[in-house]
Amino acid sequence: MVKETVAGDRLWQWRQLARQAAIAHQVSPAEVDWLLQQGADVDPLLLKLGPPFPPEISLSRSLADLTQLWQARLRDRVPVQYLVGRVPWREFDLAVSPAVLIPRPETELLIDLANSAALQYGWPVQEVSHWADLGTGSGAIALGLASVFPLATVHAVDWSEPALAIARQNAEAAGLGDRIQFHQGSWFEPLAFLAGQLQGIVSNPPYIPTRDLTHLDPEVAVHEPHTALDGGPDGLDCIRHIVHTAPHYLKPGGLLLLEMMAGQAPAVAQLLSNTGQYATVQIHPDLAGIERFAVSVRR
């Protein structure tokens, strides 16, 4: 529902001042437009083409509210996604809160890699199957898997009940609530009944070394959930557990896809190879060329 109509020149002036403040606080000025689009439903084309703006512009959030949000962004370094409570990810408009990690664009590639692997290994996409999203958070990966495997049941696991509440909300909003089963617990613990039955396991687990957490940008270090970030002394605790446990849950020929941080690819590839349980181990880059994903097939 529209809350306010503002003069176009007034919104333009607000935008310019906000962008100047962003630069002064070492925040990307592009976030101002993101706030206007996601937080007030301003047409992106209008922002791209202006000025001049139309004489009047309807906002779904008042300019006073936007000002408060932008001040919190600059003063408290709150991520803009948390301020508006939503983030676009693939074809979804996801709800987010400080209970969940903000889904990153690079993680979208996990879904493409899963789909490519299905085609590579000749799995019928229109086949009944079971997939798991370990550490689902907002539910982004689970939704992505459900969208590309239309007959799959996706099992989304998280230890955090508040995170699962967000994930359930996102699944219902996307019309996929009947395709995703949510499980509260640690990693594989709630999935004992699926041993040997999973076609694929996908996870973006915590992978940042504990000592590095305090050196992250305040947007991450202060506001995002540490349990979704802290990967232990070497950053590989969760990855190590998943690598060693996944073969018990995967079907022969089943797929394991993992996201990791820059620099971890050699260690993760070695972990996978050392188990002797995976027939292939592939490392794939993200769009920036960083080795970001490991794809393995169970023997």
Side-chain angles (χ1 to χ4, degrees):
M1 186 174 68
V2 173
K3 290 188 176 181
E4 182 174 283
T5 299
V6 300
D9 56 356
R10 184 181 175 209
L11 182 62
W12 173 257
Q13 183 182 33
W14 185 94
R15 177 179 182 257
Q16 294 304 99
L17 291 173
R19 288 172 63 88
Q20 292 171 15
I23 294 170
H25 285 80
Q26 296 183 318
V27 170
S28 171
E31 290 194 20
V32 176
D33 287 356
W34 198 96
L35 177 63
L36 289 171
Q37 293 170 39
Q38 300 295 324
D41 294 325
V42 175
D43 185 347
L45 185 61
L46 184 150
L47 296 171
K48 184 177 182 180
L49 296 179
F53 281 176
E56 290 188 338
I57 298 173
S58 295
L59 304 178
S60 62
R61 194 187 301 256
S62 73
L63 207 54
D65 284 348
L66 290 171
T67 299
Q68 285 187 332
L69 292 175
W70 192 242
Q71 288 174 346
R73 174 72 186 97
L74 301 181
R75 180 186 65 244
D76 303 324
R77 312 300 287 195
V78 181
V80 69
Q81 294 91 337
Y82 287 156
L83 291 173
V84 301
R86 58 195 279 202
V87 61
W89 194 85
R90 291 182 73 89
E91 69 266 37
F92 306 107
D93 183 26
L94 300 177
V96 292
S97 80
V100 301
L101 199 71
I102 297 167
R104 268 56 171 187
E106 59 266 25
T107 303
E108 297 182 12
L109 292 177
L110 276 173
I111 309 304
D112 297 324
L113 288 170
N115 194 36
S116 296
L119 296 173
Q120 178 182 349
Y121 294 105
W123 305 337
V125 172
Q126 300 287 340
E127 183 178 83
V128 174
S129 59
H130 292 274
W131 287 73
D133 170 19
L134 301 181
T136 192
S138 66
I141 290 173
L143 268 64
L145 291 172
S147 70
V148 297
F149 301 118
L151 295 184
T153 297
V154 181
H155 301 270
V157 180
D158 207 291
W159 74 271
S160 167
E161 193 56 53
L164 286 174
I166 294 288
R168 289 189 186 98
Q169 175 185 340
N170 285 324
E172 292 298 328
L176 294 171
D178 61 338
R179 301 274 317 288
I180 303 173
Q181 296 183 13
F182 296 94
H183 308 271
Q184 197 277 327
S186 177
W187 302 120
F188 294 93
E189 286 177 1
L191 302 182
F193 69 101
L194 286 170
Q197 299 181 53
L198 292 175
Q199 185 69 69
I201 297 168
V202 184
S203 184
N204 177 19
Y207 50 62
I208 298 174
T210 304
R211 66 181 180 277
D212 293 345
L213 291 175
T214 57
H215 303 298
L216 298 172
D217 291 338
E219 288 82 352
V220 179
V222 176
H223 296 286
E224 297 203 67
H226 274 214
T227 52
L229 300 168
D230 190 348
D234 63 355
L236 297 174
D237 280 2
C238 300
I239 290 176
R240 194 176 287 113
H241 174 70
I242 294 171
V243 165
H244 286 284
T245 312
H248 179 66
Y249 290 86
L250 287 168
K251 298 166 60 175
L255 196 69
L256 174 63
L257 295 96
L258 295 169
E259 183 168 333
M260 57 197 161
M261 72 178 290
Q264 289 178 336
V268 173
Q270 193 66 52
L271 282 172
L272 289 159
S273 296
N274 287 348
T275 67
Q277 297 292 315
Y278 300 97
T280 61
V281 177
Q282 300 176 354
I283 302 297
H284 293 268
D286 61 19
L287 295 177
I290 297 169
E291 293 184 322
R292 178 73 64 184
F293 311 103
V295 181
S296 302
V297 177
R298 181 186 179 275
R299 292 187 185 279

